[in-house]
Amino acid sequence: MPITKTTNKVDVNKRRIINGEDADVIQLYPMRHTFAWDAYNTGNANHWLPTEISMQKDIEHWKSPTILSEDERKAFKTVLGFFTTADSIAANNVVLAMYRHITSPECRLYLLRQAYEEAVHTHAYQYIVESLSLDEGEIFNMYREVDAIYDKDAFILSFNEGIFDGNFKTGTFESDQKFLENMVVFSLILEGIFFYSSFAVMFGFQRQNKMVGAAEQIQYIMRDESQHLNFGINIINAIKEEQPELWTPEFQARAINLVKQAVDLEAKFAAEVFPKGIFGMNADGFKKYIEYIADRRLERVDLPLQYNTPNPFPWMSEAIDLNKEKNFFETRVTEYKVGGTLEW
Ligand code: FE
């Protein structure tokens, strides 16, 4: 867009998540959505790379004829199959939908960090596949072959169609609601629900002391993803504040309905992928866990709880909880910072 030559300074009160009036997306200041700046700094402090994590134990476990059962191998490959393409779908959303339509410069700054983190996650899956000498064609193509993965991805991608369209523009009631709907589907559902059965399986391996390198990769990924989810929820809540007219009872009902559809798809995924359960987690446990997670997402955007299901995997909160996680990550993150400093 052309630059207007003017000595008038940008008015912070005109900054908006979308539809910023006289939107100047080039100037970081004056900053209004400080949650984005905080998220950016947290992301930088959590910097990591997949190749820093040793996969030696995993290679031994995968090669051993006795350590992993056939069901465990299948579960490991299928969750990896889901993961390998999920972060590319996430990256597309960040770059092709959010970055294009968000008019808050500090939010766009964080999106650049988030886009990079999605790339790091895809790298992590690639690194796991490569370390274990898995068949790339088999794992990376699973989203087009395995129904339970295909159905989740097709659900997400069906919402991308409208919003990735080059002609799509925010600024009308319908298009702004469409953008908000995409945020609900992307943040609450893809980042907030669809990753969680797979996270649970990976931490199940970790609790058995199996495939510990892959599980550690996933723990770093989950730390980043919690931040992405927080950011997405902040975006949704900020839009609600800035444009309350969008958050109609009909829209709220639609959002709840989408979350419920997602819970069904995720429960179906878990039941198909782990028909006999895994590590003491059975289909019913997964279903309850997904319902518990869905309620946590709904309450963050002030929508009514739908399930009131207690958490059947309380150990997952320990793996997820960002505060508790801090100690776990302290050593490596510090090491990384020192290494980075010496390099320079
Ligand atoms: Fe993400």
Side-chain angles (χ1 to χ4, degrees):
M1 74 190 90
I3 310 171
T4 311
K5 206 165 183 202
T6 174
T7 55
N8 294 339
K9 304 295 186 275
V10 172
D11 180 354
V12 71
N13 296 310
K14 291 184 174 173
R15 295 286 207 192
R16 294 285 183 275
I17 299 285
I18 50 173
N19 304 311
E21 203 181 314
D22 307 322
D24 186 327
V25 294
I26 312 283
Q27 301 186 38
L28 182 60
Y29 280 96
M31 215 185 272
R32 179 188 174 112
H33 307 104
T34 49
F35 66 83
W37 179 244
D38 295 342
Y40 173 78
N41 284 306
T42 306
N44 288 340
N46 288 346
H47 190 68
W48 68 286
L49 282 174
T51 44
E52 294 169 320
I53 297 161
S54 167
M55 293 296 293
Q56 202 48 50
K57 280 248 156 52
D58 301 53
I59 295 168
E60 287 165 26
H61 293 175
W62 198 257
K63 277 188 182 154
S64 155
T66 51
I67 292 178
L68 300 168
S69 71
E70 270 318 300
D71 282 352
E72 287 167 8
R73 285 174 189 275
K74 181 180 176 246
F76 185 88
K77 285 206 280 187
T78 315
V79 296
L80 197 55
F82 166 70
F83 281 139
T84 48
T85 36
D87 284 78
S88 299
I89 293 175
N92 284 351
N93 248 292
V94 169
V95 176
L96 301 174
M98 296 173 76
Y99 197 86
R100 280 176 59 211
H101 300 296
I102 284 178
T103 55
S104 159
E106 57 274 27
C107 289
R108 287 164 63 109
L109 189 76
Y110 178 67
L111 288 172
L112 295 173
R113 170 83 213 175
Q114 183 177 348
Y116 172 65
E117 288 174 2
E118 306 296 6
V120 170
H121 301 171
T122 301
H123 179 185
Y125 312 132
Q126 178 280 338
Y127 181 56
I128 295 171
V129 168
E130 186 183 48
S131 302
L132 302 177
S133 303
L134 300 176
D135 176 349
E136 300 97 346
E138 179 192 353
I139 306 292
F140 280 83
N141 202 47
M142 270 191 190
Y143 86 115
R144 303 198 294 190
E145 294 181 33
V146 176
D147 286 347
I149 302 176
Y150 174 87
D151 290 347
K152 293 206 291 182
D153 288 2
F155 176 82
I156 298 293
L157 293 171
S158 71
F159 290 91
N160 287 162
E161 273 163 30
I163 204 142
F164 284 10
D165 186 326
N167 296 316
F168 178 87
K169 273 195 176 61
T170 60
T172 66
F173 180 79
E174 287 73 26
S175 64
D176 288 355
Q177 267 199 342
K178 175 94 191 142
F179 182 85
L180 196 54
E181 181 187 64
N182 185 66
M183 286 306 305
V184 167
V185 170
F186 172 60
S187 293
L188 297 189
I189 295 177
L190 175 61
E191 297 203 296
I193 296 174
F194 279 176
F195 276 90
Y196 278 79
S197 304
S198 301
F199 282 153
V201 170
M202 283 299 195
F203 295 125
F205 278 98
Q206 192 178 45
R207 282 158 57 82
Q208 309 282 318
N209 226 0
K210 293 175 180 176
M211 306 308 284
V212 286
E216 194 179 343
Q217 306 269 359
I218 299 301
Q219 200 149 7
Y220 278 84
I221 288 170
M222 196 164 67
R223 181 180 60 172
D224 295 341
E225 287 303 332
S226 312
Q227 196 65 33
H228 299 177
L229 177 62
N230 271 329
F231 177 75
I233 286 167
N234 279 323
I235 291 272
I236 292 170
N237 286 331
I239 293 175
K240 276 164 60 185
E241 235 168 73
E242 292 171 1
Q243 298 183 250
E245 73 283 359
L246 300 176
W247 198 249
T248 58
E250 292 76 21
F251 186 86
Q252 293 178 44
R254 208 194 318 166
I256 291 168
N257 184 36
L258 290 171
V259 167
K260 287 166 89 170
Q261 284 181 51
V263 166
D264 291 344
L265 284 170
E266 186 64 4
K268 208 180 111 210
F269 169 82
E272 276 184 33
V273 177
F274 330 112
K276 288 178 250 164
I278 187 167
F279 308 135
M281 300 179 272
N282 57 26
D284 189 51
F286 274 110
K287 187 164 182 294
K288 290 199 168 106
Y289 180 62
I290 296 153
E291 291 174 356
Y292 167 80
I293 289 293
D295 273 347
R296 303 286 77 71
R297 307 303 175 243
L298 289 168
E299 72 185 356
R300 292 286 306 278
V301 294
D302 298 316
L303 288 173
L305 305 190
Q306 299 299 306
Y307 303 100
N308 292 297
T309 311
N311 185 0
F313 306 152
W315 48 269
M316 272 297 281
S317 347
E318 275 159 48
I320 287 168
D321 191 310
L322 278 174
N323 296 326
K324 283 182 191 156
E325 255 182 297
K326 221 173 175 184
N327 285 333
F328 177 89
F329 287 106
E330 234 154 37
T331 342
R332 187 173 303 277
V333 171
T334 309
E335 276 168 11
Y336 181 86
K337 276 182 187 158
V338 172
T341 311
L342 290 177
E343 280 293 304
W344 283 104

